């Protein structure tokens, strides 16, 4: 996924690049997609670099936001290859292994403990497995103290 973003980064990070860097990265991108993109992409990116601040502001737009900004500004005819390249990048399927690992954990939990646990607990364990970053950042001491302060043990946290 990192190499994919690096390959296409010339499309949205071109305002910080020199003309030589734009030409080098665009040449590599054109070699990957010769049937979809034309040689004019280099010229389009250099033109975009010149008009970027006036049309889109100073902040760097994400690929999705840049494509939407080009469409809303009616600049598609001025940047046809850039539009195609952004659409290719946005629609390329990329997987993240952490999501697959989360489902593997859920599968193991469900198989081993399913017979002794109710559906509510299984769902809660599944959410904890999928949202493990949020669970790691949770202050458990505060949750335990809050639970201990409640008189009725059946209250919601």
């Amino acid at each position: 996924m990192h190499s994919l973003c690096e390959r296409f980064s010339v499309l949205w990070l071109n305002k910080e690049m020199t003309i030589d860097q734009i030409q080098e990265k665009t040449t590599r991108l054109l070699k990957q997609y010769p049937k979809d993109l034309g040689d004019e992409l280099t010229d389009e990116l250099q033109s975009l670099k010149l008009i970027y601040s006036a049309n889109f502001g100073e902040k760097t737009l994400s690929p999705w936001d840049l494509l939407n900004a080009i469409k809303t500004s009616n600049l598609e005819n001025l940047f046809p290859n850039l539009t195609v390249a952004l659409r290719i990048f946005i629609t390329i399927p990329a997987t993240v292994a952490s999501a697959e690992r989360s489902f593997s954990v859920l599968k193991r939990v469900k198989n081993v403990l399913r017979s002794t646990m109710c559906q509510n607990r299984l769902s809660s364990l599944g959410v904890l497995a999928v949202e493990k970053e949020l669970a790691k950042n949770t202050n458990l001491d505060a949750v335990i103290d809050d639970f201990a302060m409640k008189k009725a043990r059946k209250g919601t946290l």
Side-chain angles (χ1 to χ4, degrees):
M1 195 145 136
H2 178 69
S3 64
L4 183 68
C5 289
E6 176 63 30
R7 185 181 315 140
F8 280 91
S9 66
V10 69
L11 302 177
W12 60 88
L13 296 178
N14 60 1
K15 71 178 190 172
E16 291 104 19
M17 295 181 181
T18 65
I19 293 174
D20 292 335
Q21 289 174 326
I22 291 173
Q23 287 176 342
E24 177 188 333
K25 288 190 173 227
T26 305
T27 304
R28 279 192 257 148
L29 188 60
L30 290 172
K31 286 180 184 176
Q32 292 286 322
Y33 302 96
K35 293 181 182 178
D36 299 315
L37 303 173
D39 293 332
E40 301 85 19
L41 181 61
T42 306
D43 297 331
E44 290 178 20
L45 289 171
Q46 290 174 0
S47 299
L48 180 67
K49 181 178 176 149
L50 296 173
I51 66 166
Y52 192 95
S53 297
N55 287 316
F56 309 121
E58 290 299 319
K59 70 177 186 167
T60 302
L61 297 175
S62 69
W64 178 256
D65 292 334
L66 180 60
L67 181 62
N68 284 334
I70 289 172
K71 284 185 175 266
T72 57
S73 301
N74 293 323
L75 297 174
E76 291 176 292
N77 294 332
L78 188 60
F79 303 114
N81 288 301
L82 176 61
T83 304
V84 169
L86 285 168
R87 287 172 47 204
I88 289 171
F89 176 73
I90 290 170
T91 57
I92 286 178
T95 62
V96 178
S98 64
E100 294 175 16
R101 283 193 297 268
S102 296
F103 285 109
S104 296
V105 168
L106 181 60
K107 187 176 179 181
R108 283 195 307 263
V109 167
K110 186 174 180 178
N111 284 341
V112 174
L113 301 174
R114 180 67 175 132
S115 61
T116 60
M117 117 178 23
C118 64
Q119 183 65 35
N120 191 20
R121 185 172 179 204
L122 178 66
S123 297
S124 298
L125 283 174
V127 169
L128 282 174
V130 171
E131 298 290 342
K132 69 179 181 182
E133 289 300 319
L134 181 63
K136 282 182 184 177
N137 295 332
T138 302
N139 184 359
L140 294 179
D141 292 332
V143 173
I144 291 170
D145 290 342
D146 187 35
F147 181 75
M149 296 298 287
K150 294 187 182 270
K151 291 184 179 181
R153 298 285 188 206
K154 293 185 181 183
T156 59
L157 296 174

